[in-house]
Amino acid sequence: MGVEIKESSVTEEEFADMKRFVHDYLSASVETEDDGGRMRWYPWHSADYRYNHTLNVTDLATHIAREEGADEDVVAVAALFHDIAKLEVDQDAHAAEGARVAREYLTSHGDYPASFVDEVCQSVEEHSYGGPLEDVSLETRCLVEADLLDKIGANGTALMLLRMGYEARTHMDAAEMVERVLERGRSQSKRVVSETAHGLAHRRLKRVRWFREWLEDEVPGMEHDGFPV
């Protein structure tokens, strides 16, 4: 009996076109607003950050999918579209709206199987699910885990330190801010299911702890009482 080799549903060129579409869609979501809307002055509410987050999640989700045996094409495309509506609708509506945009794009660009389109859109719509990840498909789980992981580690730490500037805080508060990243990371890592995601979360949180210890060691007088090393 031969081994069945699955052909990719999405070519490299098609995937590149999707990336350009997502980038342009996010940019247009901001450019059409007169007042900047939804705290655009915070970097994580900007089109540039949202696109960077999308690429991070896509890389992470594809890696997890490969290690866990999920459909990499479904996961990668769903990851690309998962936050496409984030900047134009309310938080509780962005997943459903993103699924609508993804379906519209996939059905009008190329000849993708209906089952593929359905699976992608299902993962996009369910990526904000807050319940146990055992309840969703393997592909959706890979996407959700990747979305959680991007908030842990270097990216989450850098954003938290940037926030200090917006809140007019000094570097003396850095240990407290980094501890928030750790608290969030511990909470997020409890939700992941796969061994791959658990390993990634552990390594990322370990690096954040190292960074906090570095701050406490080299910044005299930094407030860190109550934050365990």
Side-chain angles (χ1 to χ4, degrees):
M1 180 181 294
V3 177
E4 180 180 358
I5 300 177
K6 174 184 176 297
E7 293 186 3
S8 176
S9 299
V10 183
T11 67
E12 291 185 8
E13 182 179 358
E14 289 170 337
F15 196 67
D17 287 342
M18 291 179 196
K19 289 170 68 173
R20 282 189 289 271
F21 174 80
V22 171
H23 176 273
D24 293 346
Y25 194 101
L26 289 170
S27 297
S29 297
V30 177
E31 290 169 358
T32 55
E33 295 181 348
D34 295 330
D35 59 359
R38 295 193 64 220
M39 299 162 61
R40 292 287 179 256
W41 46 277
Y42 264 42
W44 43 96
H45 290 308
S46 70
D48 286 340
Y49 167 72
R50 188 53 49 188
Y51 184 64
N52 179 259
H53 165 72
T54 295
L55 297 183
N56 290 346
V57 171
T58 300
D59 286 344
L60 283 166
T62 304
H63 172 70
I64 296 171
R66 185 178 305 117
E67 296 297 317
E68 298 296 321
D71 187 315
E72 292 180 43
D73 284 339
V74 170
V75 173
V77 174
L80 266 187
F81 281 92
H82 84 283
D83 271 356
I84 192 168
K86 186 87 169 185
L87 302 179
E88 65 176 0
V89 298
D90 292 338
Q91 168 66 18
D92 59 359
H94 86 279
E97 179 62 13
R100 185 196 67 77
V101 175
R103 182 175 297 279
E104 184 176 285
Y105 180 93
L106 293 172
T107 55
S108 60
H109 294 75
D111 187 22
Y112 302 107
S115 58
F116 173 79
V117 176
D118 288 343
E119 288 180 51
V120 168
C121 294
Q122 177 182 351
S123 289
V124 174
E125 186 161 5
E126 293 182 349
H127 86 271
S128 291
Y129 175 67
L133 295 188
E134 292 88 350
D135 294 346
V136 298
S137 70
L138 177 58
E139 286 69 29
T140 299
R141 191 190 75 196
C142 293
L143 171 55
V144 176
E145 289 183 332
D147 201 19
L148 294 172
L149 287 170
D150 190 48
K151 301 176 180 69
I152 301 173
N155 197 33
T157 303
L159 288 170
M160 189 63 75
L161 295 177
L162 282 171
R163 181 174 179 175
M164 290 173 60
Y166 291 109
E167 296 180 354
R169 304 179 69 146
T170 73
H171 69 293
M172 303 300 289
D173 300 313
E176 176 188 348
M177 301 300 279
V178 174
E179 179 63 22
R180 293 188 189 181
V181 179
L182 282 171
E183 290 174 352
R184 184 179 191 181
R186 294 185 192 107
S187 175
Q188 303 284 41
S189 63
K190 290 178 182 178
R191 290 198 63 212
V192 302
V193 175
S194 71
E195 291 186 12
T196 305
H198 273 296
L200 290 168
H202 175 76
R203 288 193 292 275
R204 288 176 172 225
L205 288 174
K206 187 175 182 179
R207 290 170 183 153
V208 177
R209 286 194 293 270
W210 285 346
F211 181 61
R212 186 192 59 194
E213 292 166 7
W214 183 24
L215 286 169
E216 293 173 346
D217 184 55
E218 295 192 9
V219 182
M222 177 175 288
E223 284 292 332
H224 59 277
D225 292 343
F227 298 124
V229 174

